[in-house]
Amino acid sequence: MSAGDRSAWTFGEDLRLRKDGELRLLLGGQVHNSSSSSTASIRQSFAHARHLHANTVLAPVSWALTEPREGEFDFTLVDTMIDEARGQGLHLVLLWFGAFKNAASTYAPRWVRADQTRFPRAVVHAKTRGSAFHYSGVMPTPVLSVFSEALRDADATAFEAFITHLAEVDRTDVVALVQVENESGILRDSRDRSDLAEEAWRRDAPGALIAAARAGEEGSLLRTLWAEAGRREAGTWADVFGDGSGADEIFMAWSIASYVQHLAERGQAVKQIPMYANAWLGPQPGQDEPGEWPSGGPSSRVIDVWRAAAPSLSLVGPDIYVDDADSAMRTYATGSQPFFVPESRLRAGELVRAIGTYRAVGWSGFGFDGANPEGQVAAVLAYLTAFEMEIAQAQRSQRIGAVVVEQGAPPAEATVGDLTVSGRGLSDIVRDFLLDVGVQLPDEALPVPDETLPREPVPTPGEHRPFALIFAVDDDELVVIGQGVKLDFAAPQGSVEVDAVVELLLDEGRVVPGRVLNGDERLQVVPVDRVGAARVTLLRVS
């Protein structure tokens, strides 16, 4: 391949993902961090992803395994991943675990970590509370300094070699996206205080960042600190943004994003495949200072800094492990970049919310090789992948939505085209309906399967919230995928009634019609006890 060859995968001006011009969705999950470190585990985990009805698998590429000795590259595992993904009919997203993974450097090769003169470590003053990687009694993990040009060049050389190999072997474009580093940032302090970092802090703030602050959104951290420091057009970092922890976070964000940009630029000079960075979320409840989340990573307060410093990235996406997933999605689904969820807890409600409410181009559950094939996520994925093209078209035309009914909350609402869709819990409605005719049901919720297999280290329970994805396939003809939800439809003028309901079944990955539902059974457009789907035709009455 010639330098700069284009990938078949692209993001259009409409922020939709395409392969060879055709709209696509990336639906699946990320295998565990070590599952791509051997041929046997790659085969097993990728086959499991296919068994879960995914069309996409995400998997790490370790710098340490790729370049065990400087200048000697081994891409055997990359070849295996491409071959297995192709054989399973999966798209592949490869994650470059280079110098930075989860705010640490454990995936950097031994020859890098052993040479602290050439590749110095970050220095922190441990101002914040401990993190998951620095609990008492746990050995600290190595953290390299992002300000080391030697580290940046070594990491970029390996990354460029990886993309060059990808361009040579992935001739059918199985690989859709490449992630550059993983959950970068620095913990336990708001910035790196090594000698190299201190030298960078004393330099002038970049003109491009000052321009971004000037043009920035009112109320953003970047614009606010710049304004509070006097709207200076030049000066050191402290002159332009002050010397508080917020300025430290901006300083680290620019520095880390510039590092990532260097890698992405070198890789895309070989193959112009879409690239992105993922974010460890922050701030989170109970966290007040950068360093309690990885300071400088693409967290909510510095997305604009990352966009300014790393223009070669198509997007930055959130890794969602918080209860309030809706707010996290809203923060990153800004409409100024494509929206993709690189990592998420295995929750069916958040899967449909990402695709329906926020029109995500993809969603990835973490620990996918430990996900339950009988779980709700797998059942939802089966329908989503069967309807991939229709859903992608509905996203593009903004005729899609989702409802997730929170416990004790009012009915959830979504907008699908000009329709307002309201969702309530079906069990309560059915229980009241049956009570009126003399049938009493027990109050306990129906059991749902766990989303994880029994041996998984972090068990994940199934989804008890009623949920549904709703999208239009034609005027006043909708498909509903979900469980346990009762839907009502309203139009801006006149009234709407349900004209016809046909349940939709899956037969070897194909959608086939089932029963025509009427009478009392129309209450259950989707089932209470399992994930299901239906085609609903509406009649507008003027």
Side-chain angles (χ1 to χ4, degrees):
M1 282 194 173
S2 59
D5 256 359
R6 289 192 172 274
S7 167
W9 294 89
T10 57
F11 284 105
E13 291 184 2
D14 58 359
L15 308 182
R16 311 318 302 163
L17 180 63
R18 290 171 171 81
K19 184 180 183 184
D20 293 323
E22 191 171 68
L23 290 169
R24 294 286 187 173
L25 298 174
L26 304 178
L27 303 165
Q30 179 181 332
V31 300
H32 282 297
N33 292 325
S34 300
S35 295
S36 59
S37 64
S38 78
T39 296
S41 59
I42 290 168
R43 289 173 178 161
Q44 183 179 22
S45 60
F46 283 30
H48 190 71
R50 180 75 268 182
H51 190 45
L52 292 161
H53 311 293
N55 70 8
T56 303
V57 65
L58 288 73
V61 177
S62 164
W63 183 14
L65 297 179
T66 296
E67 192 182 8
R69 288 168 295 279
E70 186 169 9
E72 298 180 15
F73 297 102
D74 182 354
F75 295 107
T76 302
L77 294 173
V78 172
D79 293 343
T80 301
M81 285 188 272
I82 291 172
D83 290 343
E84 289 300 313
R86 184 184 293 114
Q88 293 290 345
L90 295 166
H91 309 311
L92 179 59
V93 176
L94 291 176
L95 320 176
W96 178 249
F97 285 10
F100 302 105
K101 197 271 187 217
N102 285 21
S105 301
T106 56
Y107 282 80
R110 176 187 175 93
W111 58 267
V112 171
R113 290 179 286 107
D115 190 347
Q116 295 192 46
T117 300
R118 184 180 171 196
F119 305 110
R121 304 291 178 94
V123 174
V124 298
H125 288 174
K127 291 184 173 184
T128 68
R129 292 187 290 271
S131 75
F133 294 92
H134 296 89
Y135 287 127
S136 176
V138 176
M139 288 181 64
T141 53
V143 182
L144 297 164
S145 177
V146 75
F147 297 94
S148 166
E149 290 187 9
L151 177 67
R152 183 200 66 187
D153 291 345
D155 198 351
T157 296
F159 184 75
E160 182 180 22
F162 158 52
I163 300 297
T164 299
H165 185 77
L166 198 62
E168 293 170 351
V169 301
D170 185 22
R171 299 189 181 279
T172 57
D173 287 298
V174 170
V175 179
L177 307 176
V178 172
Q179 179 182 294
V180 190
E181 308 297 341
N182 183 86
E183 291 187 354
S184 54
I186 193 151
L187 290 167
R188 304 178 73 215
D189 200 347
S190 52
R191 66 179 170 93
D192 180 0
R193 300 180 190 275
S194 65
D195 291 343
L196 287 174
E198 290 296 310
E199 181 183 340
W201 174 256
R202 290 189 293 269
R203 296 192 197 115
D204 284 351
L209 182 59
I210 295 171
R214 188 189 316 115
E217 185 177 341
E218 203 67 46
S220 67
L221 179 67
L222 178 65
R223 185 174 173 84
T224 298
L225 293 186
W226 176 71
E228 289 177 351
R231 300 177 184 269
R232 294 172 180 265
E233 291 296 324
T236 67
W237 286 89
D239 292 337
V240 175
F241 297 108
D243 59 1
S245 62
D248 291 347
E249 187 178 14
I250 290 171
F251 168 69
M252 289 302 301
W254 179 268
S255 304
I256 297 169
S258 297
Y259 180 108
V260 167
Q261 167 65 14
H262 184 77
L263 269 67
E265 211 167 18
R266 284 184 59 173
Q268 289 183 342
V270 177
K271 183 178 175 69
Q272 294 182 17
I273 187 169
M275 297 181 184
Y276 72 95
N278 65 329
W280 176 329
L281 293 182
Q284 295 184 34
Q287 298 177 345
D288 303 313
E289 290 293 321
E292 293 174 344
W293 66 91
S295 182
S299 61
S300 61
R301 308 201 311 172
V302 290
I303 295 172
D304 51 353
V305 179
W306 271 76
R307 298 290 292 165
S312 292
L313 298 182
S314 296
L315 63 99
V316 295
D319 292 353
I320 304 177
Y321 299 98
V322 296
D323 290 336
D324 187 8
D326 187 32
S327 293
M329 292 186 199
R330 190 182 312 119
T331 298
Y332 287 83
T334 60
S336 62
Q337 62 165 13
F339 180 54
F340 174 58
V341 180
E343 295 181 31
S344 175
R345 285 195 296 197
L346 293 162
R347 299 189 75 187
E350 305 312 342
L351 167 53
V352 300
R353 194 199 302 272
I355 299 300
T357 303
Y358 296 107
R359 299 193 299 143
V361 300
W363 180 92
S364 166
F366 181 76
F368 209 54
D369 40 342
N372 183 2
E374 304 301 321
Q376 294 156 299
V377 166
V380 171
L381 285 173
Y383 281 105
L384 296 187
T385 52
F387 277 111
E388 178 187 358
M389 299 308 171
E390 292 89 343
I391 292 171
Q393 289 288 355
Q395 287 181 327
R396 188 167 184 265
S397 62
Q398 300 190 43
R399 298 205 297 177
I400 190 168
V403 292
V404 181
V405 184
E406 304 289 348
Q407 186 175 7
E413 288 193 350
T415 300
V416 180
D418 70 336
L419 294 167
T420 298
V421 184
S422 177
R424 294 175 291 164
L426 181 56
S427 291
D428 294 338
I429 296 172
V430 171
R431 186 177 289 109
D432 292 344
F433 173 80
L434 292 176
L435 191 61
D436 287 343
V437 296
V439 178
Q440 186 168 0
L441 294 178
D443 290 334
E444 63 266 18
L446 290 171
V448 294
D450 284 348
E451 289 293 0
T452 44
L453 295 170
R455 289 175 291 179
E456 279 298 284
V458 182
T460 302
E463 180 69 87
H464 281 284
R465 299 173 299 176
F467 65 89
L469 178 76
I470 311 103
F471 60 94
V473 291
D474 205 342
D475 292 341
D476 294 335
E477 188 174 338
L478 310 172
V479 169
V480 179
I481 301 167
Q483 180 174 347
V485 67
K486 167 69 170 65
L487 298 177
D488 295 300
F489 305 91
Q493 295 182 341
S495 61
V496 176
E497 62 186 50
V498 175
D499 184 41
V501 178
V502 178
E503 70 177 350
L504 298 175
L505 308 174
L506 291 170
D507 181 10
E508 296 184 350
R510 295 182 302 108
V511 179
V512 296
R515 299 171 299 161
V516 177
L517 304 180
N518 211 325
D520 301 342
E521 287 168 339
R522 277 198 184 170
L523 281 173
Q524 299 188 44
V525 169
V526 291
V528 177
D529 62 337
R530 66 190 185 283
V531 173
R535 187 181 299 265
V536 179
T537 305
L538 302 178
L539 174 65
R540 300 194 188 221
V541 182
S542 58

